[in-house]
């Protein structure tokens, strides 16, 4: 199992101009604790929409790598986005899913991945060309380095434990939106 906070620190340490869209779960806190970046867009409450937002960004900014930082519970709410992403095949998209088999934020209820669903296989079936099951920090380092260099779309199915992240440090959704849009030169 991967310590998500440690992996997030590794990833943020490697980033340059990449855009990151987080889901609403604990992964967003780990990403924030790993360092503040004006190219991070943090979702609040919009469960499942990180992948759809990431696809739109990847299509609008084809010269930049776009990382979706997702959770298993959230992705299960928008599985259709996998097929839509695969239909478009955005080479610059890296979809990282933190699978703790749980809706940790709302009390740890089990998600479908605690039973029979394998999100990596779902992504493969949807048509992602590069799918990796990632179970150790060393593997995460190796695969994320490759994904940052090589064309995708990538799907990194990362197994982690239920572990609450340290919250804090996030600005209001509106302030975050404006900062992100300014960083990429988007019109308000
Ligand atoms: C449509 C909708 N349903 C329910 C919620 C409440 N909710 C917020 S976070 C969350 C769990 C997210 O699970 P996951 O993506 O696996 O991340 P984790 O909590 O495990 O870090 C839920 C159910 C919501 N925000 N929106």
């Amino acid at each position: 199992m991967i310590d998500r906070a440690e992996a997030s620190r590794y990833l943020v340490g490697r980033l340059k101009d990449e855009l990151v869209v987080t889901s609403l779960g604990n992964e967003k806190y780990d990403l924030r604790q790993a360092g503040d970046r004006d190219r991070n867009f943090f979702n609040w409450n919009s469960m499942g929409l990180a992948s759809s937002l990431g696809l739109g960004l990847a299509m609008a900014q084809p010269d930049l790598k776009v990382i979706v930082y997702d959770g298993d519970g959230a992705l299960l709410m928008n599985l259709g986005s996998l097929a839509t992403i695969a239909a478009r095949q955005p080479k610059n998209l890296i979809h990282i899913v933190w699978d703790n088999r749980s809706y940790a934020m709302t009390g740890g209820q089990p998600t479908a991945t605690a039973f029979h669903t394998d999100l990596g296989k779902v992504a493969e079936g949807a048509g992602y060309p590069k799918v990796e099951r990632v179970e150790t920090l060393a593997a995460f380092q190796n695969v994320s380095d490759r994904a940052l260099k090589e064309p995708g779309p990538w799907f990194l199915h990362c197994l982690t434990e239920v572990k609450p992240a340290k919250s804090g440090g996030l600005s209001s959704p509106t302030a975050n939106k404006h900062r992100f849009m300014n960083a990429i030169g988007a019109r308000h």
Side-chain angles (χ1 to χ4, degrees):
M1 293 287 164
I2 310 172
D3 181 327
R4 192 184 50 214
E6 214 175 334
S8 301
R9 284 194 289 276
Y10 179 80
L11 181 70
V12 169
R14 314 291 284 188
L15 296 182
K16 297 185 183 79
D17 59 357
E18 296 83 357
L19 309 180
V20 186
V21 183
T22 76
S23 184
L24 80 173
N26 283 294
E27 65 289 319
K28 80 168 181 284
Y29 293 124
D30 282 338
L31 190 83
R32 171 61 189 87
Q33 299 308 328
D36 199 15
R37 299 178 72 246
D38 58 7
R39 289 176 172 240
N40 289 351
F41 181 77
F42 298 96
N43 257 305
W44 289 94
N45 297 329
S46 314
M47 191 165 173
L49 291 182
S51 47
S52 300
L53 276 166
L55 172 62
L57 269 173
M59 290 171 65
Q61 304 275 346
D63 297 329
L64 291 175
K65 282 273 189 184
V66 175
I67 299 170
V68 175
Y69 221 53
D70 218 345
D72 56 314
L75 179 57
L76 283 161
M77 196 162 253
N78 188 13
L79 282 179
S81 69
L82 295 177
T84 308
I85 289 167
R88 290 287 175 173
Q89 295 282 309
K91 289 188 173 21
N92 54 335
L93 190 81
I94 304 171
H95 194 167
I96 297 177
V97 181
W98 288 105
D99 185 358
N100 57 9
R101 299 157 299 286
S102 162
Y103 297 103
M105 289 277 269
T106 49
Q109 303 85 353
T111 65
T113 65
F115 301 97
H116 305 293
T117 302
D118 182 327
L119 287 173
K121 288 188 179 159
V122 177
E124 212 170 272
Y128 275 60
K130 295 192 177 164
V131 179
E132 297 279 348
R133 183 179 174 90
V134 188
E135 300 191 44
T136 64
L137 180 64
F140 180 85
Q141 293 170 334
N142 180 284
V143 177
S144 60
D145 281 356
R146 278 172 50 216
L148 285 169
K149 278 190 236 118
E150 298 168 23
W154 286 85
F155 189 90
L156 275 55
H157 181 202
C158 301
L159 299 192
T160 188
E161 315 252 24
V162 176
K163 195 170 162 194
K166 250 204 290 174
S167 62
L170 289 167
S171 50
S172 74
T174 312
N176 178 223
K177 181 187 85 168
H178 289 306
R179 185 173 80 155
F180 182 80
M181 289 178 76
N182 285 335
I184 61 173
R187 275 197 302 270
H188 288 267

